[in-house]
Amino acid sequence: MTAPAGRGGAGGAEGRYAAVVLPVPVNRSYIYEVPDALAERVVPGARVVVPLRRRSIIGIVTAAVSQLPSAVDNIKRISAAPDDQPALSPALLELGRWLSDYYGAPLGLALRAILPGPLWSVARPAGPAPGAERLLVLTRNGMDSLLERERRFKRAPQRRAVYETVEALGGSAPVSHLVKQLRLSRNSLEGLVRQGLARIEHVPEMRDPFAGMSSPPPPTLTEDQRNVVAGIESTPVSMPVLLNGVTGSGKTLVYLEILRGVVASGRGAILLVPEIALTPQTVARVRGVFGDHVAVLHSGLSDGERADAWRALRRGERRVAVGPRSAVFAPVQRLGAIVVDEEHEPSYKQGSVPRYHARDAAAVRAQLEGARLILGSATPSLETLDQAAQGRVSTFALPDRVGARPLPPVEIIDLRSAPRVEAAATIPWSEALDSAVAGALERQEQVILLLNRRGFATFVQCPACGNVPGCPQCAIALTVHQTPPALRCHYCGHEEPIPATCVVCGHLTQRLRGLGTQQLEHFLGERFGRARIARMDLDTTTSKWAHHHILERVASGAVDILLGTQMIAKGLDFPNVTVVGVVDADTGLHFPDFRAGERTFQLVAQVAGRAGRGPHGGRVFVQTRAPDHHAIRAAAAHSVAQFAAAELPLRSPPNPPYPPHTGLVRFVVSGTDHAWTADLAERVAAWLRRASSARLDGLLTVLGPAPCPLMRLKGKWRWHVLTKAVEPRVLGRVVRAWRAKSHRAVMVDRDPVSLL
Ligand code: ADP
Ligand code: ZN
């Protein structure tokens, strides 16, 4: 069973053997014998259960093999073929081959990304778990005094940590969350219960909040929207479409109208959204139009529910799939269209092998199945704008908001000189933003504040020697958190107590530097005592439906100020938001990444677009120390064209070329020993340089090796080598050549979205 397989004939019945790809990082298929009884089911794309060493695992048949390579013996037999139709359609199997070849990933890992997890399990996946969730509830929230607390937890620091964590989470928290996500000890939880400080409650598990959710029938299209729909529908299906519509122009309605036509013609569709928890409104609108035809594929589904949704699509019982990037592989039948909403979002890039970009995979799939591809955004990526400029994508614009509402005016506030509110002390809080917020609260309107940095302060610094405590495993400063109090590493989760004195020089006071969302929340609470404030960042959204709860409260008017990280900049549509403030626009501007400007532009323009969606209009305030930066200026003008005009020259000669002017592949080498890592990176770079001159006509540019900006991460050293080539086929040959060599310490990332 160990021979590499060639491609055989198309049908299973004619060959007694089949080539099977297993979900393992090995770049070849395995040959198995096909028992007569299974011959009809063993066709390309079918799932089969096969023995591998002493286990049974699921594999995918890629071809029938009628002639065995001579040197093979000991061929094992396929033990089962569980499905009555192949799990992967020919198009999805072909898409898997494309993923494998384009990203240089083993075919097995590419196919593993296409089929959802439960379908790789030999045991039948469990059905939806009806069980109850266990909640740890504090019996008295807030003990009387610090002294009492010290006394009670004297010999139980772990118990205290649990106590204070639950306290910070509002007095109760799911046990599974505390144990699994926050890695608190079960013993300490039980200790608290024994001590009488907490009890366990059983609450019925919350039902899927998307189930049954829908919104009223959509409004009739505006004339602009109708023209765009007509324009798109008369564009040849093979021509991808960019819908470049300003924030609030009603792009969702255009998608829905087109999808309606697709479904009416008997075909199916996929709508990709960046993060489903952040887009409940979009999901509701889709449900409103397509009702039970829709399968919503979100991370909250149990294995059983996920498998059910997959089967319902595969059988054609549901025709429309909505979900994040992996929904690009949804087994929708007779696919007629794929819509990629907010196509510029980096979350469309998968962080593990095969490291695909869902937008690009969508383009390939659409082509394979003769489906229409629609990319939508108010701030399209430069890659997509470049495709449009070359005539490979057809652009439709919605330059105005629905209902003749103007885009909100944006005021850029220069933090170096603008008058600040004195009470704010360490917080960058201008008088202009302050009075706008106060005014909105006065009029009972809502405010959104963006600060793209979680935690309380960015770091602790000793005022005497300048020491900044860093993570022992990652070369970055530890972030100060208050709830619960700790220094925490945002990359690996390492935690340690906040030092009272300097560990280096012993100085007795330590200073908190830099602003995080927790501190901003604290400040706002003091400044606007009566305002109801909600914070949305990774720390407040660890539990399953937390995003949903927060956004629901904003929608119902139970929140006056919503503050948060980039999570609050996506797609939200709250008509009562009249003031949007970007508290510090510069948090990402100086990252050592060629997309730092683009990300800042998108973030600021998108959050600005949350303002003024209702009858009361809106205003936006952008606080920055770089008021003349083209990213900030273009965002203030809501103009992606202005941004592209300034940014594109920076990425082309005589400057070092970057995408979209060249393709990029990043090789990241990581290891626990620094010298070994640097040495391997050196050898990777040497191999690439040899390949370029020997086989690629020198068309490949090799940069490095160099330490990654994040040189140490989770205890590993990291070095990278960047390669560039204008011609995609050159990069394709490089990643495939490397796939054949494949080294576990080297990660290959084609079209990386981050260079950190
Ligand atoms: P975008 O995604 O382009 O930012 P949305 O799709 O969220 O915009 O639409 C913005 C708002 O305008 C939503 O509240 C939506 O219901 C409303 N809207 C869109 N199209 C129409 C229309 N034709 N008539 C009335 N309201 C509309
Ligand atoms: Zn760390």
Side-chain angles (χ1 to χ4, degrees), residues 36-96:
D36 287 343
L38 298 180
E40 260 176 38
R41 288 186 168 200
V42 179
V43 295
R47 289 195 309 153
V48 287
V49 180
V50 295
L52 179 73
R53 304 207 185 87
R54 265 177 231 145
R55 296 182 301 144
S56 276
I57 79 169
I58 298 264
I60 302 286
V61 176
T62 51
V65 177
S66 38
Q67 203 132 53
L68 277 186
S70 50
V72 190
D73 53 357
N74 185 24
I75 292 209
K76 298 202 174 143
R77 307 181 92 199
I78 291 174
S79 38
D83 309 318
D84 47 17
Q85 58 175 339
L88 293 181
S89 62
L92 281 175
L93 192 55
E94 196 51 40
L95 184 62

Side-chain angles (χ1 to χ4, degrees), residues 76-220:
K76 298 202 174 143
R77 307 181 92 199
I78 291 174
S79 38
D83 309 318
D84 47 17
Q85 58 175 339
L88 293 181
S89 62
L92 281 175
L93 192 55
E94 196 51 40
L95 184 62
R97 292 207 169 96
W98 177 80
L99 291 174
S100 169
D101 286 346
Y102 184 87
Y103 293 103
L107 183 56
L109 297 190
L111 296 183
R112 193 176 62 179
I114 292 184
L115 269 192
L119 280 120
W120 292 102
S121 157
V122 174
R124 271 176 60 105
E133 185 169 45
R134 295 191 331 136
L135 220 55
L136 186 76
V137 184
L138 299 187
T139 44
R140 29 207 290 256
N141 206 0
M143 276 188 267
D144 316 321
S145 67
L146 204 57
L147 268 181
E148 187 191 340
R149 192 170 292 203
E150 297 281 322
R151 184 178 55 75
R152 231 186 247 283
F153 293 122
K154 200 160 181 187
R155 270 185 299 274
Q158 288 225 38
R159 222 177 266 176
R160 176 174 186 161
V162 176
Y163 190 89
E164 293 184 338
T165 304
V166 179
E167 198 175 41
L169 294 172
S172 68
V175 171
S176 59
H177 175 60
L178 296 169
V179 174
K180 285 195 199 119
Q181 260 107 21
L182 302 179
R183 279 179 263 137
L184 294 164
S185 90
R186 205 174 270 279
N187 269 339
S188 316
L189 264 66
E190 284 158 7
L192 278 181
V193 174
R194 276 198 306 278
Q195 226 175 334
L197 293 172
R199 61 171 187 277
I200 299 282
E201 277 182 13
H202 295 265
V203 289
E205 176 137 46
M206 181 170 165
R207 281 187 37 239
D208 175 355
F210 295 106
M213 187 171 80
S214 80
S215 66
T220 40

Side-chain angles (χ1 to χ4, degrees), residues 676-690:
W676 180 88
T677 309
D679 184 57
L680 179 55
E682 195 66 62
R683 282 185 284 135
V684 171
W687 179 83
L688 288 164
R689 291 201 166 90
R690 270 200 312 278

Side-chain angles (χ1 to χ4, degrees), residues 149 389 447 464 553 584 596-597 621:
R149 192 170 292 203
V447 174
R553 281 168 56 220
D584 182 352
F621 299 83

Side-chain angles (χ1 to χ4, degrees), residues 414-429:
D414 186 345
L415 282 175
R416 296 166 305 184
S417 56
R420 302 249 201 126
V421 171
E422 250 174 58
T426 57
I427 313 253
W429 192 251

Side-chain angles (χ1 to χ4, degrees), residues 577-591:
V577 171
T578 58
V579 170
V580 163
V582 180
V583 177
D584 182 352
D586 311 340
T587 47
L589 203 51
H590 306 295
F591 273 12

